[in-house]
Amino acid sequence: MQDKVRNLVGRIEKHRGSILTEEACKTAFVMPFLNMLGYDVFNPDVVVPEFVADVGIKKGEKVDYAIRVGGQISILIECKCSSANLKEVHMSQLYRYFHVTEAKFAILTNGIEYWFYTDIDEPNKMDQIPFFKFNFLSHRSADVLELQKFSSDQFNVDNIVSTANNLKYSSALKNEFSKEITSPSDEFCKILVSRIVSGSMTSKVKEKYYGLVKSAINDALADILSDRISSALDMTSGAATSLARSGFVEPVPQPVSAPTIEVPQKSEGEEEVVTTQEELEGYYVVKAIVRNVISGERVSIRDAKSYCAILVDNNNRKPLARLHLNSKSVKYIGLFRGKDEEKFKIENIDDIYKYDEMLRETARQYV
């Protein structure tokens, strides 16, 4: 499923700029999505396009697709054009159809994002809030596992519903927490500041401390991520050493110092190249991923103004990856098949793990 998702991501990234209508979105993105899940889009007994279910006095209304599983309508799908921002107002038709059909699940999509609904709050009445969201351009491995539950060979209503409740509310809590991290509310700041400052929360105290909250959150998250990376490296080294002692593999050399970062010489007046904490974290993640292929001592970092290169043997002719993290809006990791670089969009450093096998494949070229 990971490979199938990756293929569809490539299709979306390539064609999304030219897909301007709802019908084009269905053909280019939604039908391949259904096919990816194992549903025969050319079999009307499985995928029913323009499904009609009269609702009260409304006759002849159509939902874009209905999916039959085991002979009964199980999933309703409403599509919007790929440029549409999905909103609750878009789910009105799904909402009406849900309680007059036997469908247990409903999906609202623009071909890139997929919002999944069921009836957790009230039986036979579609919830207002989706229990699961999947975004092809921004997802994690765990999301693919949840998506896979909707594939034709794994579809089980009880199995999906059993996890939908926790998934729905944990996702909502995660979103609220993300909001507080990026833009802390007054309530959140007040809770934190009140724990370190005694007395009343005056406007002077608020002005003095509230500005520090966001930077403190960012620093704390950076420390946590750094600790996780260090732990991962230690675990990898420990496992490799244990295997080596057992005679299964060659022992992996242990790092004894921080990586040497090579910065290109700059001419007078030229802006200095600065290696950021994020670039270092990305370097450690890549290094951890490929350590079971090549020695960690062979992986080096060489920073430049436009990107940060991760090389094997500190050799420009042996590129492992490039980190394009300097842009405030879009970040990429550049991966190599031969000499050609292919860029993949990432939201954060953890997203590098999505490309672990590609990194190992590149590393194998330099064994």
Side-chain angles (χ1 to χ4, degrees):
M1 184 60 72
Q2 292 278 9
D3 291 338
K4 292 177 180 179
V5 168
R6 191 175 295 119
N7 290 336
L8 193 45
V9 168
R11 170 188 282 263
I12 291 171
E13 290 179 335
K14 181 178 180 180
H15 298 294
R16 63 183 300 196
S18 58
I19 303 301
L20 305 178
T21 66
E22 184 178 307
E23 288 302 316
C25 177
K26 292 179 191 177
T27 303
F29 299 153
V30 179
M31 290 178 68
F33 167 77
L34 297 176
N35 186 62
M36 181 191 78
L37 292 178
Y39 299 105
D40 185 354
V41 295
F42 300 110
N43 185 345
D45 292 330
V46 176
V47 178
V48 187
E50 300 295 309
F51 178 73
V52 177
D54 294 334
V55 183
I57 61 172
K58 290 183 175 292
K59 304 294 182 181
E61 281 197 297
K62 301 174 182 178
V63 69
D64 292 305
Y65 296 103
I67 309 298
R68 283 195 179 99
V69 180
Q72 70 178 34
I73 299 296
S74 299
I75 307 172
L76 301 176
I77 304 175
E78 179 69 13
C79 305
K80 302 300 173 185
C81 65
S82 58
S83 60
N85 291 320
L86 298 185
K87 300 176 183 178
E88 290 182 2
V89 68
H90 290 150
M91 72 180 196
S92 57
Q93 199 164 352
L94 279 176
Y95 187 83
R96 291 196 301 270
Y97 273 32
F98 191 86
H99 77 280
V100 297
T101 67
E102 56 194 358
K104 188 63 176 178
F105 303 103
I107 301 174
L108 177 65
T109 182
N110 60 6
I112 299 172
E113 289 186 77
Y114 289 78
W115 293 8
F116 292 77
Y117 297 85
T118 188
D119 55 352
I120 294 172
D121 297 332
E122 191 174 338
N124 301 319
K125 185 177 181 181
M126 194 178 91
D127 298 336
Q128 296 287 329
I129 300 174
F131 69 89
F132 174 52
K133 293 182 179 181
F134 186 87
N135 188 325
F136 272 93
L137 300 182
S138 176
H139 64 270
R140 305 177 68 180
S141 297
D143 297 330
V144 177
L145 295 178
E146 290 298 331
L147 181 65
Q148 192 164 355
K149 293 178 182 178
F150 287 88
S151 60
S152 60
D153 60 342
Q154 295 191 24
F155 187 84
N156 182 288
V157 172
D158 294 336
N159 183 34
I160 298 173
V161 171
S162 66
T163 58
N165 187 69
N166 288 341
L167 196 62
K168 174 182 176 180
Y169 292 107
S170 64
S171 178
L173 288 169
K174 184 176 71 174
N175 289 336
E176 290 302 315
F177 184 64
S178 296
K179 291 178 185 177
E180 293 291 2
I181 290 174
T182 55
S183 182
S185 65
D186 284 354
E187 295 86 350
F188 187 67
C189 292
K190 185 176 181 179
I191 290 172
L192 294 182
V193 174
S194 65
R195 293 179 180 179
I196 61 172
V197 178
S198 59
S200 59
M201 194 64 59
T202 64
S203 58
K204 187 175 181 179
V205 171
K206 179 178 177 180
E207 181 181 354
K208 181 177 180 180
Y209 290 100
Y210 276 26
L212 298 175
V213 170
K214 185 173 182 179
S215 61
I217 291 173
N218 289 334
D219 289 345
L221 291 175
D223 290 344
I224 292 171
L225 179 58
S226 180
D227 289 343
R228 284 178 59 191
I229 293 171
S230 297
S231 297
L233 288 172
D234 291 342
M235 290 175 64
T236 304
S237 300
T241 301
S242 297
L243 288 171
R245 288 171 179 169
S246 302
F248 287 108
V249 295
E250 294 288 333
V252 177
Q254 303 299 309
V256 296
S257 61
T260 301
I261 300 169
E262 184 170 328
V263 178
Q265 295 296 318
K266 64 185 182 69
S267 59
E268 187 176 351
E270 184 181 350
E271 183 180 351
E272 184 177 358
V273 174
V274 177
T275 302
T276 66
Q277 180 67 27
E278 190 176 36
E279 289 171 332
L280 281 174
E281 289 165 1
Y283 161 75
Y284 283 121
V285 168
V286 171
K287 188 175 181 178
I289 288 171
V290 302
R291 283 189 80 153
N292 62 344
V293 179
I294 58 177
S295 166
E297 285 190 344
R298 294 182 62 194
V299 182
S300 60
I301 180 174
R302 184 182 299 184
D303 205 356
K305 186 175 181 181
S306 57
Y307 61 83
C308 183
I310 301 176
L311 308 172
V312 176
D313 301 330
N314 200 22
N315 188 335
N316 271 330
R317 295 183 179 180
K318 298 181 180 180
L320 190 55
R322 287 178 180 174
L323 303 176
H324 302 266
L325 307 178
N326 294 329
S327 171
K328 294 182 179 180
S329 56
V330 184
K331 301 180 188 298
Y332 297 94
I333 180 171
L335 302 176
F336 291 85
R337 289 189 175 97
K339 297 181 180 179
D340 298 325
E341 179 187 10
E342 185 177 0
K343 291 183 181 179
F344 297 89
K345 182 180 177 182
I346 58 174
E347 298 294 330
N348 50 56
I349 294 300
D350 275 354
D351 282 352
I352 295 175
Y353 286 105
K354 296 177 183 177
Y355 308 102
D356 54 353
E357 189 51 44
M358 292 182 69
L359 283 163
R360 293 189 189 104
E361 183 180 339
T362 302
R364 291 186 189 103
Q365 300 175 19
Y366 308 127
V367 173

